[in-house]
Amino acid sequence: MSYNSNPVLIDEKVVAQAKQLGSALLADGMKGMGLEMDGCMEASIMPIGPHMSMAGTALTVETDQGDNFPIHVATYSGAEGYVMVIDGKGCAHTPYFGELVSGAAQAIGYNGMVCDGYVRDRESCIEQKFPIFAKGFLQRGPVKKGPGNINIPVRCGGITVNPGDLVVGDDDGITVVPRDRIAEVIKNAENKADYEAKRKETIQAYIEAKKEGKELPELAPKWVLDMLQK
């Protein structure tokens, strides 16, 4: 078992800013940067319940075949501010954890857990109101074999996650931002947020003009009009 020390936590203000922007805007902020899949994990990894959102520093775990011993080790050696990212190789015959492990992670201060695999104890886990993202649920109990690695680069949801990367999850899915690109991605995401705010104003102005029988403003964005003229 390879166990490396936990990565340095990302500044809390940066994490809060990223969480506020959300996974979709951050993914938009990564477009055109040559980053793998714009940081988006596969759609099969989603929150286990509604209105779950999280952001934090990646603490990575590699395991296989439903073995949750490395997950236990990572849980009890973690700290506040981390998001546990588990490369479970998509194991579909045995889940990796349930309410006891997630409850312990929540008590220690993890901001959430991401699992490329399955979990169990759905109702209890949802009642904990602790953000968990996984492929689904299985009732069979996890196994404990021992092999695994902690805080190494892993593959989770189709993309590479390095210890210390920024992980943001919400109802749209999981976005992972490489640590050395966080400032750039957030700036791009904020620009996209400004654009979307202006678009919402335009749409609302159109609705109000239509309701009042006034001349309708142009609704199509400029980039659409420009493309039509090509």
Side-chain angles (χ1 to χ4, degrees), residues 6-29:
N6 294 338
V8 175
L9 287 166
I10 299 166
D11 185 89
E12 290 182 1
K13 292 181 180 178
V14 174
V15 172
Q17 188 178 14
K19 185 177 180 181
Q20 181 66 33
L21 286 165
S23 66
L25 282 173
L26 289 172
D28 288 342

Side-chain angles (χ1 to χ4, degrees), residues 168-227:
V168 178
D170 49 37
D171 285 338
D172 284 328
I174 298 286
T175 299
V176 178
V177 182
R179 191 182 189 108
D180 62 350
R181 307 297 291 272
I182 292 174
E184 184 181 0
V185 170
I186 285 181
K187 181 179 179 181
N188 292 342
E190 288 178 332
N191 290 339
K192 182 62 186 299
D194 290 341
Y195 167 80
E196 291 191 355
K198 292 176 182 177
R199 285 294 300 148
K200 290 176 182 178
E201 290 176 359
T202 299
I203 292 169
Q204 186 59 40
Y206 185 96
I207 292 172
E208 292 177 2
K210 187 176 181 180
K211 185 186 301 183
E212 297 172 5
K214 296 181 179 179
E215 182 179 354
L216 298 177
E218 178 58 65
L219 186 59
K222 184 178 182 301
W223 66 266
V224 172
L225 301 176
D226 290 344
M227 288 190 69

Side-chain angles (χ1 to χ4, degrees), residues 108-129:
I108 286 169
Y110 273 92
N111 290 353
M113 301 176 75
V114 183
C115 182
D116 194 337
Y118 293 76
V119 298
R120 71 174 190 169
D121 303 331
R122 179 174 186 167
E123 184 174 350
S124 299
C125 284
I126 292 175
E127 287 177 354
Q128 288 174 344
K129 296 183 179 179

